Amino acid sequence: MKIAIIGCGNMGMAFARAFLKFDLVRKEDFLLVEKSEDRMEKLSSFQPGVITGVISPQIGEYDLVILSVKPQDFTSVSGALREVMNPGQVVLSIMAGVTIQIIQEALDHKAVIRAMPNTPAMLGMGITAYAASPEVEMNQLRKIENLINATGRSVFLEDEDQLNAVTALSGSGPAYFFYVVKAMIEAGKQMGFEESVSALLVKQTMLGSFHLINTADKSLDELIKAVASKGGTTEAALRQFEAGNLDETLKQGILAAQQRSKELSKG
């Protein structure tokens, strides 16, 4: 498969690196379009494929066109892209909040897949949910699913509207996780630890806890109970969390992110 990537920021390059790492695409079959001269210079050192700063008719020769520009920049590239697309191509968009219908109308192109990855995709440990227009054929969908899975795992959604919830839950999710980790590290510093020691304690705790969730034959409530002995230190912390409605605050924050995603999707 020949692939053109429009916009080579962190996520665009995460996809490119994953495809190359698993030999899913040859370097000579990559076309990278990037307007930033600084980023083009960095790309040249990486040498992932053909690099250009302009949208040209050459794009029409590629099987898959990945849109990874910022949503607010889509309008500035869609006009030129519309002129060079051909009907046999598939468009894969990883732009947050830009619907399949908007992309179809802007590009005058029907075969569109919209995906929402998250930043762990840069390590091959992401989760990407995606939806497709009816014009995307099953064999095309399977090929692109294989490509997406190179960045981690994927979930196909029949209802595109659910991508707003995905954006709030897993798309923005790493930031929530980092927020909690930061607060825990700060608490450690307040208790007298050097930042490096506090960070080590917290990060290893998070890593080990993740593996417990994945391997232990227990529910989350059971895992909490196993740590929180009656009248102990963990119970004291949990009581404080409950008094501050921490769980409800987190849930309301995620729902606020979903609402904002809906607003962005409407333009």
Side-chain angles (χ1 to χ4, degrees):
M1 181 177 282
K2 298 181 68 175
I3 299 175
I5 300 181
I6 315 299
C8 300
N10 290 334
M11 201 57 68
M13 288 313 302
F15 274 59
R17 286 189 174 94
F19 300 163
L20 292 171
K21 177 182 178 181
F22 292 102
D23 296 321
L24 297 173
V25 183
R26 299 179 302 176
K27 283 189 176 182
E28 56 266 34
D29 289 333
F30 254 133
L31 175 66
L32 306 179
V33 181
E34 175 54 57
K35 66 178 182 179
S36 166
E37 292 184 6
D38 289 342
R39 195 168 287 134
M40 282 183 68
E41 194 172 318
K42 292 178 181 177
L43 288 174
S44 297
S45 62
F46 174 50
Q47 295 182 330
V50 180
I51 303 166
T52 180
V54 297
I55 293 173
S56 68
Q58 186 180 8
I59 290 174
E61 302 171 8
Y62 288 76
D63 305 299
L64 176 64
V65 176
I66 299 178
L67 298 175
S68 61
V69 298
K70 294 177 181 177
Q72 59 267 32
D73 293 337
F74 178 54
T75 303
S76 65
V77 302
S78 60
L81 197 54
R82 178 188 182 116
E83 298 299 319
V84 298
M85 297 286 295
N86 75 64
Q89 294 176 296
V90 177
V91 172
L92 170 61
S93 169
I94 56 175
M95 300 183 295
V98 184
T99 65
I100 289 174
Q101 182 179 352
I102 289 174
I103 296 168
Q104 287 176 322
E105 292 174 354
L107 300 182
D108 190 24
H109 192 82
K110 295 299 182 183
V112 176
I113 296 172
R114 178 185 167 197
M116 174 47 61
N118 61 6
T119 52
M122 292 188 285
L123 300 176
M125 299 183 70
I127 179 70
T128 300
Y130 66 100
S133 66
E135 292 80 7
V136 178
E137 297 176 3
M138 183 57 67
N139 66 319
Q140 294 173 321
L141 195 62
R142 285 174 177 166
K143 288 179 181 178
I144 291 164
E145 181 181 45
N146 288 337
L147 291 171
I148 292 173
N149 283 341
T151 67
R153 301 184 67 178
S154 64
V155 177
F156 174 71
L157 302 175
E158 293 186 5
D159 182 2
E160 183 194 354
D161 287 342
Q162 287 186 313
L163 283 172
N164 292 318
V166 169
T167 300
L169 193 60
S170 59
S172 300
Y176 315 149
F177 180 80
F178 303 149
Y179 189 90
V180 171
V181 169
K182 181 182 176 183
M184 291 178 67
I185 292 172
E186 289 299 318
K189 289 165 62 178
Q190 287 184 31
M191 291 186 289
F193 291 115
E194 293 290 331
E195 183 171 0
S196 59
V197 175
S198 184
L200 176 61
L201 287 167
V202 173
K203 287 189 283 187
Q204 187 60 34
T205 297
M206 289 295 189
L207 180 62
S209 300
F210 161 75
H211 286 293
L212 270 177
I213 291 172
N214 264 6
T215 59
D217 188 21
K218 294 181 179 180
S219 67
L220 289 172
D221 283 336
E222 288 172 328
L223 288 171
I224 292 170
K225 188 176 180 180
V227 182
S229 55
K230 190 74 173 177
T233 57
T234 307
E235 186 179 69
L238 293 176
R239 282 180 177 172
Q240 186 65 34
F241 296 159
E242 290 171 2
N245 286 322
L246 178 59
D247 61 340
E248 189 61 27
T249 299
L250 286 171
K251 286 186 283 188
Q252 289 303 315
I254 294 169
L255 292 173
Q258 179 191 27
Q259 181 59 36
R260 181 57 181 153
S261 181
K262 289 179 180 178
E263 292 167 0
L264 291 172
S265 295
K266 294 175 181 177

